[in-house]
Amino acid sequence: MALVKAAVIYGPKNIRVEKRDIPDPGDDEVQVDVSFNGICGSDIHEYLEGMDLATVSHPLTHMKAPLIPGHEFSGTISQVGKQVSQLKIGDRVAVEPIIACGKCPECLSGHYNLCEHSIGTDNAAGFLGFSANGGLAEKCNVKAIFAHRLPSDFPLDLGALVEPVSVAAQAVLESHVSAGDDVLIQGAGPIGLFTALMVKIAGVHNIIINDMSKERLDLAKKLGILDTLHAASPRELHELVYAKTNGRGVDIAFDCAGVQPTLAGAIEALKVGGKVTVIALFGEPPVVDIRTLLKKGGSLLTSYGYANKFERVINIIDNHRELFKQVITKKIKLNGLVSEGIEALAHDKKQAKILVDMKPD
Ligand SMILES: [Zn+2]
Ligand SMILES: [Zn+2]
């Protein structure tokens, strides 16, 4: 048992930084001394509205709020459970924060991101930080199978990016993006930017990124995504995208924003036979213009979370460290989590990925 500093979410707009007891790891777990934990859009919604936070006992973890938030984290192993042989104290890891049963047909077929038992009866998300304690504490116990060893000189701040980059990687790999494709990305927040970097690395032809915020597009340009658009309506987007693609439209459009106009615009921008992949979690259910999609022979895919992507993503970030590093716009300490982290992300469009430095002072 160790008494550590942690953020604890009790409910909407109620996060407190306090001392918490972290038990020794279970037999199949390791204890991670957390180095960095990234803040993401779902953390903002968890804070503002209590979205996805377990309010009744989760079927797999038997936990509910108050809980330690945080699901994008890296750190160093400080204890190993009795049955763990593949990891040792001192190993540096990126944590895959998924909660899955390991026994249902989806888990057994490798799609453990869609585990039948991972979502709570109150719709709580099957992730650490929502239905179990997460990474916004100095220590966190995690299943050994979900602690992925980093190369010895891999920076731990980049280790905290492996989780959100895996969200983008899953969508890009499942969409079968090919070299030479023309791609549209709706939304230049962190997931949009990571998706842009993933398709750039995959060798596509045009990457067009569309966002309402000039600041976000400036960051995209810094990352080498030069073809930026600031389209007000789906129709305007159609015109601009067709002008940039020889009047053909794009092979794939990723919706990384998740509002009605971004999905409508993605469908409008498609070429014949193209596909839209939705990564964003919509706040409101959208209307889908099936007629336009049908007449283009297009398809609509969704991508939720990731499965078996961490090893590959660690390799990709390792090869492009300088590129990914630029998405980190600020590092803060835990005491500033709400004011300098969550509130800053919600209001300052110049921010992309904010990391909380969890190492003790
Ligand atoms: Zn996230
Ligand atoms: Zn399962």
Side-chain angles (χ1 to χ4, degrees), residues 40 42 71-72 163:
C40 104
S42 57
H71 61 277
E72 304 182 354
E163 197 273 350

Side-chain angles (χ1 to χ4, degrees), residues 77-137:
I77 292 177
S78 55
Q79 271 196 71
V80 293
K82 290 194 193 86
Q83 290 165 12
V84 178
S85 56
Q86 74 273 33
L87 292 165
K88 59 182 190 312
I89 292 172
D91 281 348
R92 299 148 82 255
V93 295
V95 174
E96 184 170 357
I98 284 199
I99 296 164
C101 76
K103 295 171 191 142
C104 72
E106 292 311 324
C107 281
L108 291 175
S109 67
H111 302 112
Y112 55 84
N113 53 323
L114 303 173
C115 170
E116 292 174 8
H117 306 289
S118 68
I119 296 179
T121 50
D122 56 349
N123 252 328
F127 288 89
L128 304 185
F130 295 91
S131 299
N133 287 324
L136 282 166

Side-chain angles (χ1 to χ4, degrees), residues 5-203:
K5 195 169 168 182
V8 181
I9 180 161
Y10 286 77
K13 294 195 179 155
N14 189 357
I15 286 183
R16 307 174 204 165
V17 174
E18 53 191 40
K19 291 280 181 181
R20 273 268 156 155
D21 273 325
I22 304 290
D24 290 334
D27 289 353
D28 61 348
E29 292 180 331
V30 294
Q31 187 162 87
V32 175
D33 285 6
V34 180
S35 297
F36 291 98
N37 185 104
I39 306 172
C40 104
S42 57
D43 297 312
I44 300 175
H45 288 292
E46 182 184 36
Y47 170 72
L48 292 175
E49 302 127 35
M51 192 177 93
D52 289 347
L53 176 65
T55 53
V56 297
S57 177
H58 184 274
L60 296 176
T61 68
H62 308 295
M63 295 177 82
K64 62 175 179 172
L67 286 170
I68 299 168
H71 61 277
E72 304 182 354
F73 61 105
S74 63
T76 305
I77 292 177
S78 55
Q79 271 196 71
V80 293
K82 290 194 193 86
Q83 290 165 12
V84 178
S85 56
Q86 74 273 33
L87 292 165
K88 59 182 190 312
I89 292 172
D91 281 348
R92 299 148 82 255
V93 295
V95 174
E96 184 170 357
I98 284 199
I99 296 164
C101 76
K103 295 171 191 142
C104 72
E106 292 311 324
C107 281
L108 291 175
S109 67
H111 302 112
Y112 55 84
N113 53 323
L114 303 173
C115 170
E116 292 174 8
H117 306 289
S118 68
I119 296 179
T121 50
D122 56 349
N123 252 328
F127 288 89
L128 304 185
F130 295 91
S131 299
N133 287 324
L136 282 166
E138 288 166 350
K139 290 176 184 288
C140 182
N141 292 328
V142 303
K143 298 276 183 215
I145 54 164
F146 285 140
H148 299 273
R149 199 175 3 232
L150 297 167
S152 60
D153 65 339
F154 191 100
L156 281 162
D157 54 354
L158 292 183
L161 300 186
V162 177
E163 197 273 350
V165 176
S166 294
V167 173
Q170 173 92 4
V172 170
L173 292 165
E174 305 278 299
S175 304
H176 303 289
V177 170
S178 304
D181 278 348
D182 287 325
V183 176
L184 169 70
I185 293 165
Q186 292 281 62
I191 293 297
L193 294 174
F194 288 140
T195 303
L197 293 184
M198 287 298 304
V199 298
K200 180 186 164 97
I201 291 163

